[in-house]
Amino acid sequence: MKKFLFLFLILGATAIQAADGGSKKPQTVREAPQYLSTDGAAVEDTCPGNDIFNQFFCSSKEKPGFKCFDVYRVQGDPIDTERYTLLAQTLTTENSSAEPACTFEGELTCDNFLKALNYNLSFSWFIDNFPTSSFPECGKTYSCTRISCLKGLPPAANGSPQSAKLTCVFKKNQIYFLGTPLTCQNKR
């Protein structure tokens, strides 16, 4: 009788496990994350829900072996070249000496200026104060910086000094997107 009861319990447990697909909880296995962009329109999530803001986790709906590319948002500093977005660039002529002088070679552009500062506007001699309400993007996050520098020009006809003044307004990007291929597997 004991053998019969033991055999009945083993067969019953096996039948229950087979009926519910093994009742193993799904496991989300991720590969190494890849940096994608600061632009949400430039990324695509192929996991169910296509949510680019939050990470996807496998559930009982996904079968073992299910694969997708999960995109999610991260707060922090993006890569150097995407750390700032240019909002405004102006080049004017000033009747003054070239102080602070532009310290980079080549064309007077905000891109060249930012590269010369190694994409770091946290502290710079070139920072100009300005009202953040000038740009709607700045009023929301208070993460904008205006920088300017001057490059000497030949003196005016009356002999007074002249300079070309480059002014740039940058908004600091504080979010970026990562992506990772993932696979759903049964926990063991």
Side-chain angles (χ1 to χ4, degrees):
M1 182 69 169
K2 286 183 182 180
K3 286 183 184 181
F4 178 72
L5 183 60
F6 179 72
L7 183 61
F8 178 74
L9 288 175
I10 298 255
L11 289 173
T14 306
I16 290 171
Q17 189 175 15
D20 71 359
S23 74
K24 295 179 183 175
K25 293 183 178 182
Q27 179 179 9
T28 306
V29 179
R30 297 178 189 279
E31 294 183 24
Q34 307 163 23
Y35 179 89
L36 300 176
S37 177
T38 57
D39 181 7
V43 298
E44 182 181 0
D45 186 308
T46 64
C47 294
N50 308 108
D51 183 358
I52 64 170
F53 297 106
N54 302 298
Q55 284 186 310
F56 174 80
F57 293 93
C58 298
S59 69
S60 58
K61 295 176 186 174
E62 289 77 38
K63 295 186 183 206
F66 174 81
K67 295 177 184 269
C68 64
F69 188 75
D70 186 26
V71 175
Y72 52 96
R73 182 174 68 173
V74 177
Q75 188 161 357
D77 281 339
I79 61 172
D80 290 349
T81 56
E82 291 189 343
R83 189 169 294 154
Y84 295 96
T85 298
L86 179 65
L87 299 179
Q89 173 177 301
T90 57
L91 190 58
T92 57
T93 302
E94 302 270 320
N95 291 325
S96 67
S97 60
E99 293 295 327
C102 298
T103 56
F104 55 91
E105 298 293 323
E107 191 178 355
L108 282 179
T109 65
C110 292
D111 187 45
N112 288 340
F113 196 2
L114 189 59
K115 283 179 191 172
L117 295 173
N118 293 320
Y119 302 97
N120 185 358
L121 301 182
S122 297
F123 174 77
S124 172
W125 297 109
F126 304 104
I127 293 176
D128 277 342
N129 288 326
F130 76 105
T132 55
S133 60
S134 304
F135 295 88
E137 301 93 326
C138 302
K140 292 176 190 170
T141 62
Y142 303 103
S143 62
C144 292
T145 304
R146 180 171 67 182
I147 57 175
S148 61
C149 67
L150 294 103
K151 187 170 189 173
L153 295 174
N158 65 1
S160 65
Q162 282 193 316
S163 301
K165 181 177 183 180
L166 174 64
T167 303
C168 311
V169 177
F170 290 101
K171 175 184 166 294
K172 186 173 184 183
N173 295 318
Q174 298 177 2
I175 60 162
Y176 58 94
F177 294 91
L178 296 178
T180 181
L182 68 79
T183 306
C184 296
Q185 295 178 352
N186 280 339
K187 275 190 179 177
R188 298 206 163 130

